[in-house]
Amino acid sequence: MSLEARLVVERAAFTLDLALDVRAGEVVALLGPNGAGKTTALRALAGLTRLSGGHVTLRGRPLHTLPAESRPIGMVFQDYLLFPHLSALDNVAFGLRCQGMSKTDARAAAAGLLERVGLAARAGARPRQLSGGQAQRVALARALAVRPELLLLDEPLAALDAHTRLEIRSQLRRHLADFDGVTVLVTHDPLDAMVLADRLIVIEHGAVVQQGAPAEVARRPRTDYVARLVGLNLYRGVAGGGRVEVGELLLHTSEPATDGAAFVAFPPAAVALYRTRPDGSPRNLWQARIGGIERHGDNVRVHLDGPVTAFADITPAALADLDLTPGQRIWASVKATETHAYPA
Amino acid sequence: MVPAVLGLVFLVLPLVGLLVRAPWSTLPARLTEPQVLEALRLSLITATVATVLCLSLGVPLAWLLARVEFPGRRVVRALVTVPLVLPPVVGGVALLLVLGRRGLVGEWLEAGFGITLPFTTAGVVVAEAFVAMPFLVISVEGALRAADRRFEEAAATLGASRWTVFRRVTLPMVMPGVVAGAVLCWARALGEFGATITFAGNFPGTTRTMPLAVYLALETDPEAAIVLSLVLLAVSVVILASLRDRWVSAP
C-alpha cells in the first residue's frame, strides 16, 4: 500500500472518519453528496485542514506531521486557483521555483508540461485569458510539475460546461493513467467517478457507506444516494426461499438471494406499466399510484407510489398509449431476470 | 437641494478663491525662488522617505493584523488608527516625549548611538510617518482581508514557504491596495504640519516643509503663501485623479 490513512476531522455539522488504502498508480474517487466531507478529506490529505485524529502515511513515511508545503503532493482545486498575476507558464513553473530550480530551468520544464497538456501556444496567457478547459489543464500541469507522489483533485471537472467536460474528462483519464503515484479525486458526479477512477469510495455524513470497483458499485448500490446516482431502484428487504420480501411485496429475483437481510435493485427501464391487471399474472406485480411524470433523456420517467416507491422509465409512445395522469392507479411489474438481490 | 449646493460651495469656494487670487503673472518667477524650491524639495524627499518607512513597517503590521490571530488584536487595530484621529500637534508632543533628547527612547538613542531626531530632517520623516502610517496600514489590511486566501493554500501545496507565499502570491495580489495606501500615505505626509512643527521645528533647509512655509509666508508675504498653496493643491488633485477609479468613485 502506498497511501495509508485514517482521517478524523471534527466539524460542527459532522465528524469525518475515513480510512484510505490506495496503491501507487491507483485512482480512487471519493464520491458523495455536498457536505459529506469529501473536500475536507482531501484538504486533510494536503495538510490544509488539521486532523483531529488519525494519520497519513505515504510510502511508509508519516505525512500528517508535515505542513502542506513539505508534503510531496500536487493539488488541483475546483476553481483551479491559478495565480492571476502570473502567466500560464509561470503558474506551472511556480512549484519548481519553490523547489529551488533556476528560473530558466523551471520555465523550460514548465513549457514541456504545457506541451504535454496541449497548451504550448498559450504559455504566455494570463489565467483570465484562458477558457475553462485550458485553465483546468494548466492547473493539472501545475500540480504535476512538482512530481508529486500524491495527486489530489477536488471536483476537477465541476467548473466546466458539458461539452468541454466530455473532452477534458478523457484527457484527464489519459494523464491519470500515465501518473505513477497515488491519485485521490473528489467528485459528486458519478460519471466522472466511473470514468476516471479504479475504485470508488462513497461518503455520506463523513463516513464511508460503500466502496468498490465502479462496476460493482454501479451494479450493487447500498444506499439510496448511490442508487439514485447510478439510476437504480433500490430496496432493503428480507430474503427467504429464493425471494425477497420488501414491505408487503414479495419480489422474485434473477438469482436466489441468501436468506437474511438483502438489497434488491432493478433499473427503472425494467418496470412495465399496465392500465388493467395483465393476464397470465406475471411475477413481481403490484398496484401503484402515479406520483408524477417527467422527461428523462429520450424517455419518460414515471414516479410510482404504493407498496414501494419506484421509478419506471417508459417511452413517450407508451405514455401516450397508456394515457397516464398523476394520481391515477395502475399496475406495475418488473421482470425477475432484471431484478438483482444481494446481501445487505 | 439648497443645503447640498451650500455644502458643495463651502467645499469648493476656498479652492476657487485660491485660484482667483493667485498671482498668475509672477507665478513662474515665484515658483523658482530658492526658498520655494528648497521647501518643495525637502517636502518631496521627506514625504517619500516617510512613505518608504511606512511601507517597510506598515505592510508587515497590516499582514499581522489581517492574518495572525492573537489576543488583543482588536485593541492593536484600534491603536493603529489612533494617529488618524489624534490632533497632529498632540502627536508631535507625544513624539517629543518619547524621542526627544530627554525622552524615553530618545535619551537612549543619543547616549547609545549618537542619534538625535528632534529638530532634524530625520525628525520630519518620523513625524510624517507617525501621522501617515495608519492610512497605509488600513488600506493594506483591507486588501489582505479581501484577498482570497485559497491562492495562498494553492501556493503551499506547491511547496512554497510562508515567505515565498507572501512575496510571490499575497503581495502581488494585494498590490493595488498597497499602491493606493502608499499614495494616500505620501499625500498625507506631504501635507503634514502639526506634528512636524512640534517635533521637528521650522528650520529653513532642514525641517521647513511646504506646509510650514505656507504658514510662515502668510505672515510676511501672502502672495508667496498662495503660490505654495497652489503647488500643494496641484499635488492633491493629481493624487485624487490617479486614485479616482479605486477610491473616490463609489460603486
Side-chain angles (χ1 to χ4, degrees):
Chain A
M1 290 303 168
S2 200
L3 173 72
E4 202 269 306
R6 171 137 185 267
L7 308 171
V8 181
V9 181
E10 315 232 353
R11 281 270 177 272
F14 61 89
T15 299
L16 173 76
D17 191 342
L18 172 67
L20 277 175
D21 269 320
V22 192
R23 283 177 285 108
E26 193 182 17
V27 179
V28 162
L30 301 181
L31 187 65
N34 288 331
K38 312 181 296 278
T39 298
T40 304
L42 209 63
R43 290 175 56 86
L45 286 173
L48 298 174
T49 292
R50 190 183 286 276
L51 285 179
S52 313
H55 62 273
V56 181
T57 312
L58 188 64
R59 288 193 182 170
R61 250 175 349 125
L63 278 198
H64 55 278
T65 51
L66 300 173
E69 68 258 31
S70 308
R71 301 188 183 193
I73 55 169
M75 187 155 175
V76 175
F77 294 84
Q78 180 170 358
D79 40 4
Y80 318 132
L81 299 177
L82 297 176
F83 304 126
H85 57 286
L86 297 180
S87 66
L89 185 73
D90 284 334
N91 262 284
V92 179
F94 187 94
L96 296 169
R97 295 279 288 134
C98 291
Q99 290 178 348
M101 196 182 273
S102 78
K103 200 169 195 163
T104 325
D105 292 348
R107 281 191 165 162
L113 274 154
L114 279 180
E115 179 141 26
R116 237 176 79 195
V117 297
L119 282 176
R122 303 293 283 149
R126 290 292 168 95
R128 67 171 171 281
Q129 299 167 320
L130 298 172
S131 70
Q134 290 173 338
Q136 202 279 346
R137 286 183 282 165
V138 173
L140 181 67
R142 182 175 75 170
L144 288 173
V146 293
R147 306 196 152 278
E149 293 170 29
L150 174 58
L151 182 63
L152 304 168
L153 306 159
D154 188 6
E155 302 274 7
L157 304 169
L160 301 174
D161 61 73
H163 177 71
T164 318
R165 199 174 176 134
L166 197 71
E167 185 187 320
I168 298 290
R169 189 189 288 127
S170 60
Q171 289 182 13
L172 181 59
R173 186 188 152 83
R174 239 182 22 247
H175 290 297
L176 291 183
D178 289 344
F179 179 63
D180 53 10
V182 171
T183 306
V184 178
L185 78 90
V186 153
T187 180
H188 68 272
D189 184 321
L191 187 54
D192 290 349
M194 304 280 170
V195 172
L196 297 173
D198 303 317
R199 186 150 55 93
L200 306 189
I201 298 180
V202 185
I203 307 178
E204 285 178 61
H205 306 296
V208 176
V209 293
Q210 184 168 5
Q211 60 175 309
E216 168 69 16
V217 172
R219 199 171 305 123
R220 299 184 156 193
R222 302 186 72 82
T223 72
D224 286 339
Y225 167 73
V226 183
R228 252 196 327 278
L229 279 187
V230 301
L232 289 178
N233 290 305
L234 176 72
Y235 308 97
R236 205 186 165 100
V238 181
R243 292 173 301 181
V244 183
E245 197 182 339
V246 178
E248 328 162 4
L249 211 60
L250 207 54
L251 291 172
H252 295 258
T253 58
S254 57
E255 64 280 313
T258 34
D259 289 2
F263 285 116
V264 181
F266 56 84
V271 181
L273 301 179
Y274 310 91
R275 279 185 77 86
T276 53
R277 192 182 168 99
D279 299 332
S281 70
R283 289 170 172 186
N284 298 346
L285 180 72
W286 73 95
Q287 199 170 24
R289 206 179 63 88
I290 295 178
I293 300 169
E294 63 180 346
R295 232 192 135 71
H296 186 77
D298 288 339
N299 282 328
V300 177
R301 175 155 286 187
V302 183
H303 299 236
L304 301 175
D305 299 330
V308 294
T309 58
F311 294 125
D313 285 355
I314 59 174
T315 62
L319 178 72
D321 286 344
L322 290 164
D323 189 23
L324 300 179
T325 49
Q328 189 182 339
R329 298 200 68 84
I330 51 146
W331 290 91
S333 83
V334 58
K335 287 190 198 110
T337 49
E338 296 200 50
T339 307
H340 296 277
Y342 43 95
Chain B
M1 192 63 195
V2 174
V5 172
L6 279 178
L8 183 67
V9 168
F10 176 67
L11 288 176
V12 173
L13 201 58
L15 304 180
V16 174
L18 206 56
L19 291 172
V20 169
R21 296 293 299 276
W24 294 106
S25 53
T26 56
L27 197 63
R30 286 278 191 184
L31 279 176
T32 48
E33 271 175 33
Q35 311 93 289
V36 174
L37 288 179
E38 193 177 64
L40 184 60
R41 193 176 138 266
L42 184 67
S43 272
L44 293 177
I45 289 174
T46 52
T48 305
V49 175
T51 304
V52 171
L53 183 68
C54 287
L55 278 171
S56 55
L57 300 178
V59 172
L61 179 56
W63 182 84
L64 187 78
L65 287 174
R67 288 297 152 82
V68 183
E69 203 75 57
F70 60 90
R73 183 164 73 163
R74 291 171 68 173
V75 178
V76 174
R77 185 175 297 134
L79 285 176
V80 166
T81 54
V82 164
L84 275 183
V85 290
L86 194 72
V89 177
V90 178
V93 171
L95 283 172
L96 266 182
L97 291 178
V98 175
L99 296 172
R101 298 190 138 193
R102 301 272 168 273
L104 293 169
V105 180
E107 202 167 13
W108 170 77
L109 271 180
E110 183 160 15
F113 305 93
I115 298 171
T116 322
L117 287 175
F119 311 111
T120 62
T121 306
V124 176
V125 171
V126 168
E128 290 179 349
F130 176 78
V131 174
M133 188 133 91
F135 287 90
L136 183 92
V137 174
I138 287 172
S139 171
V140 176
E141 195 204 337
L144 281 169
R145 285 183 176 281
D148 191 341
R149 295 203 57 182
R150 294 177 316 139
F151 285 102
E152 298 174 8
E153 292 183 343
T157 65
L158 293 166
S161 65
R162 243 181 165 189
W163 169 240
T164 308
V165 172
F166 178 75
R167 196 170 48 85
R168 293 207 53 208
V169 177
T170 315
L171 201 52
M173 289 186 67
V174 299
M175 201 38 101
V178 175
V179 171
V183 172
L184 281 178
C185 175
W186 187 79
R188 180 67 187 85
L190 195 71
E192 218 305 299
F193 177 82
T196 309
I197 201 163
T198 313
F199 181 63
N202 182 15
F203 304 109
T206 53
T207 71
R208 184 179 295 161
T209 56
M210 290 286 281
L212 271 59
V214 171
Y215 184 74
L216 202 74
L218 208 53
E219 314 250 289
T220 57
D221 183 1
E223 272 200 359
I226 295 172
V227 170
L228 289 166
S229 300
L230 273 179
V231 174
L232 287 177
L233 178 65
V235 170
S236 309
V237 169
V238 167
I239 285 172
L240 216 60
S242 68
L243 287 183
R244 190 188 52 212
D245 298 331
R246 216 181 312 284
W247 281 72
V248 181
S249 66

